[in-house]
Amino acid sequence: WLWFGALVADLSHLALDYTNSYGLRPFAPFNMHWYAWSIVSVIDPWILAVLVLALVIPALLKLTDQEIGDRRRRFRGRGWAWFALIFILLYWSMRNAEHLHAEALLKQGLYTTASIERVAAMPTMANPFHWTGLIDTPGAYRVAQVNTLSNEVRLSPEPIYKPPVTPAVAAAKQCYLGRVYLDWAKWPVVEDMGEIPIPGAPAPPPGAHWHAVQFRDLRYDRGPSAHPPLSGWVYVNVIPGRSPQIEGMFMDGRPQD
């Protein structure tokens, strides 16, 4: 029973990771594919609140029993644990239904004349009826705010144009960081930022023609930012007449070997 309880605890941890937009690789190292349900935020206040209640209230009731001398109930928290489990399962079911609803609204395409190649609905932290939509069109990505209660889709004013694939971008995609990042990212944007220093990383030596290539995922970065969250950077030395050379790889300013 102790082993079984530990196994259930491990599987529940994986289930929680699977429900958010970051996802997990449950079959690594045999299958490195990332899986994500994307129905709740990485930090969901409703789930966190019910888990805290299921932990704190039995402890408070136990203190009350000790004050009055009643020690008969050994497992007072069992009922609250069942309450938390049932609540989370019902909450996931409701979130899944609203997630499918949001994706259906995005796929209808009533808000744009451009052809739609794919869509995704990203959860917000507290409101299960408010989703951030990502729309893939031939020339650009669009971000939208989706309200499943009112069936409303509001596009952001500015599209995110797909950057051109320069020699530096092509080389960065083939390096170790590029392959790992593109395997994880569901909505990647890879852009040649030119001869600029990478934020938080050492500047290239004077006279070097190093291009900074930025990797970002629209699930976590949907607007212009000097320090996008979960962004990767690669220095590529673009030498005329020679193949581009990788000079450095960085994740959030930290060097990657």
Side-chain angles (χ1 to χ4, degrees):
W1 281 108
L2 184 63
W3 178 88
F4 180 73
L7 177 62
V8 171
D10 288 340
L11 293 177
S12 65
H13 185 104
L14 296 177
L16 287 168
D17 285 343
Y18 171 64
T19 58
N20 62 48
S21 59
Y22 192 91
L24 76 164
R25 296 181 294 180
F27 306 113
F30 308 105
N31 181 355
M32 304 302 288
H33 184 71
W34 287 84
Y35 297 87
W37 197 359
S38 299
I39 61 170
V40 297
S41 176
V42 174
I43 299 176
D44 188 287
W46 298 106
I47 293 178
L48 187 61
V50 76
L51 291 176
V52 170
L53 284 176
L55 181 66
V56 171
I57 291 181
L60 294 177
L61 293 177
K62 181 179 180 180
L63 290 176
T64 304
D65 290 345
Q66 291 176 349
E67 289 293 329
I68 64 176
D70 184 4
R71 301 176 181 272
R72 290 174 296 176
R73 300 191 63 176
R74 295 179 55 196
F75 305 109
R76 181 178 290 279
R78 179 177 294 173
W80 283 97
W82 277 109
F83 165 76
L85 177 61
I86 294 172
F87 173 87
I88 291 173
L89 292 177
L90 293 175
Y91 182 68
W92 281 348
S93 300
M94 184 267 289
R95 276 279 196 172
N96 180 61
E98 296 303 318
H99 181 249
L100 295 175
H101 186 185
E103 286 189 334
L105 291 174
L106 292 169
K107 289 177 182 177
Q108 287 179 2
L110 301 179
Y111 48 87
T112 180
T113 57
S115 61
I116 297 175
E117 297 181 353
R118 60 175 177 141
V119 301
M122 296 292 106
T124 56
M125 183 174 291
N127 189 347
F129 306 106
H130 181 224
W131 301 78
T132 298
L134 300 176
I135 305 106
D136 188 357
T137 64
Y141 299 108
R142 300 300 302 267
V143 179
Q145 301 304 315
V146 184
N147 189 321
T148 55
L149 282 179
S150 60
N151 293 329
E152 181 184 10
V153 177
R154 292 186 293 107
L155 278 180
S156 60
E158 296 294 333
I160 302 172
Y161 293 104
K162 297 179 180 179
V165 181
T166 65
V169 168
K173 286 182 176 181
Q174 296 302 316
C175 74
Y176 177 72
L177 183 143
R179 296 196 307 272
V180 172
Y181 198 98
L182 294 177
D183 177 69
W184 165 76
K186 302 297 183 184
W187 291 79
V189 175
V190 188
E191 185 173 2
D192 186 345
M193 307 300 288
E195 297 180 16
I196 65 169
I198 292 175
H209 299 287
W210 291 7
H211 286 228
V213 177
Q214 181 195 63
F215 291 77
R216 60 192 179 105
D217 192 330
L218 294 181
R219 292 179 297 172
Y220 305 103
D221 174 60
R222 307 177 189 111
S225 173
H227 302 281
L230 298 175
S231 62
W233 293 83
V234 177
Y235 272 136
V236 183
N237 193 354
V238 181
I239 306 173
R242 296 175 56 185
S243 299
Q245 300 295 318
I246 304 300
E247 302 290 350
M249 299 178 294
F250 302 87
M251 190 71 187
D252 289 333
R254 295 187 296 271
Q256 307 294 309
D257 297 329

